[in-house]
Amino acid sequence: NAGVTQTPKFQVLKTGQSMTLQCAQDMNHNSMYWYRQDPGMGLRLIYYSASEGTTDKGEVPNGYNVSRLNKREFSLRLESAAPSQTSVYFCASRGRVRVGSIYNTGELFFGEGSRLTVL
Amino acid sequence: AQTVTQSQPEMSVQEAETVTLSCTYDTSENNYYLFWYKQPPSRQMILVIRQEAYKQQNATENRFSVNFQKAAKSFSLKISDSQLGDTAMYFCAFMLNNNDMRFGAGTRLTVKP
């Protein structure tokens, strides 16, 4: 069971280059997320997709674009990379948990992270 | 906007002892979810424990338990019988239903032999 898979694991870019981080989940979750993690700042939400066909901005969306290609896949694109985008990026997905006859919000399942360095 | 505060950037504990990590949050909502995640050096984010705000009983998972004080907006994590494998960053997180999850800045916990 792969869970959440993101690629690439490592990437070095030059300022101004573009790249796309890929994310796929096999848990049939509706919601998917992209976070960035920087020292001393925890994880900050870039974009999320509550369901296939929808995307919404999070705390730090500037400089990024996303595509919810289908229910499984959610990609993050840097059109013109900047050194401030050097970070570790995490993709996550969220489902629901059944508690008796109701469904509660489930926790996030994370990919292994992608370390991006922009020179 | 919801915020999550972890006031202890770093903590240490001797193996087999108990340690408590603090977390406070701010929200005007009544229904929400709280989580503690662990991030070991492998970088993988691992769920430790979750708490639904509508539940008065504190969640427990083996050696991990929480002290959820809804009125005080406090959600601390207690680790009993600490083990070397508990060494990691610990993140407190808050989520409204069908909404994004917000994280604290994290507490780096070191378990000493």
Side-chain angles (χ1 to χ4, degrees), chain A residues 75-86:
Chain A
S75 63
L76 178 72
R77 183 162 178 83
L78 287 68
E79 292 290 352
S80 179
S84 61
Q85 293 178 304
T86 293

Side-chain angles (χ1 to χ4, degrees), chain A residues 1-69:
Chain A
N1 191 359
V4 178
T5 303
Q6 54 181 108
T7 57
K9 297 289 191 292
F10 300 92
Q11 184 72 50
V12 178
L13 292 176
K14 295 181 179 179
T15 297
Q17 288 184 320
S18 63
M19 77 157 297
T20 299
L21 295 172
Q22 307 285 355
C23 176
Q25 52 93 8
D26 61 2
M27 295 174 282
N28 201 35
H29 287 167
N30 285 322
S31 302
M32 297 186 73
Y33 304 77
W34 276 105
Y35 286 88
R36 61 178 288 173
Q37 182 178 21
D38 302 292
M41 302 189 75
L43 279 76
R44 292 182 294 167
L45 183 68
I46 304 172
Y47 271 93
Y48 68 102
S49 170
S51 62
E52 185 179 355
T54 69
T55 60
D56 288 283
K57 295 178 180 180
E59 298 174 81
V60 289
N62 292 343
Y64 304 95
N65 287 303
V66 291
S67 296
R68 184 73 183 267
L69 304 172

Side-chain angles (χ1 to χ4, degrees), chain B residues 52-66:
Chain B
E52 289 83 357
Y54 65 84
K55 290 185 177 179
Q56 293 185 344
Q57 186 174 7
N58 289 326
T60 299
E61 288 287 342
N62 300 315
R63 298 183 294 108
F64 299 89
S65 61
V66 299

Side-chain angles (χ1 to χ4, degrees), chain A residues 9 33 35 37 40-43 45 48 59 88 90 94 97 104-108 110-113 115, chain B residues 33 35 37 39 42-45 47 50 52 54 91 95-106:
Chain A
K9 297 289 191 292
Y33 304 77
Y35 286 88
Q37 182 178 21
M41 302 189 75
L43 279 76
L45 183 68
Y48 68 102
E59 298 174 81
V88 178
F90 285 93
R94 178 174 65 82
V97 293
N104 278 346
T105 292
E107 67 270 22
L108 264 60
F110 287 85
E112 295 181 342
R115 182 176 294 278
Chain B
Y33 300 83
F35 304 86
Y37 277 87
Q39 187 181 43
S42 67
R43 205 169 65 190
Q44 181 69 46
M45 294 288 287
L47 178 70
R50 61 174 279 158
E52 289 83 357
Y54 65 84
F91 293 97
M95 182 164 66
L96 294 173
N97 198 26
N98 296 324
N99 208 327
D100 60 88
M101 183 180 283
R102 299 297 173 109
F103 288 81

Side-chain angles (χ1 to χ4, degrees), chain B residues 3-8 20-26 34-36 67-69 72-77 91-94 102-104 107:
Chain B
T3 60
V4 180
T5 302
Q6 294 179 248
S7 58
Q8 306 151 315
T20 298
L21 309 183
S22 301
C23 174
T24 59
Y25 57 93
D26 185 26
L34 295 162
F35 304 86
W36 279 98
N67 182 5
F68 174 46
Q69 302 290 329
K73 298 180 181 177
S74 171
F75 182 61
S76 60
L77 174 70
F91 293 97
C92 177
F94 169 99
R102 299 297 173 109
F103 288 81
T107 296

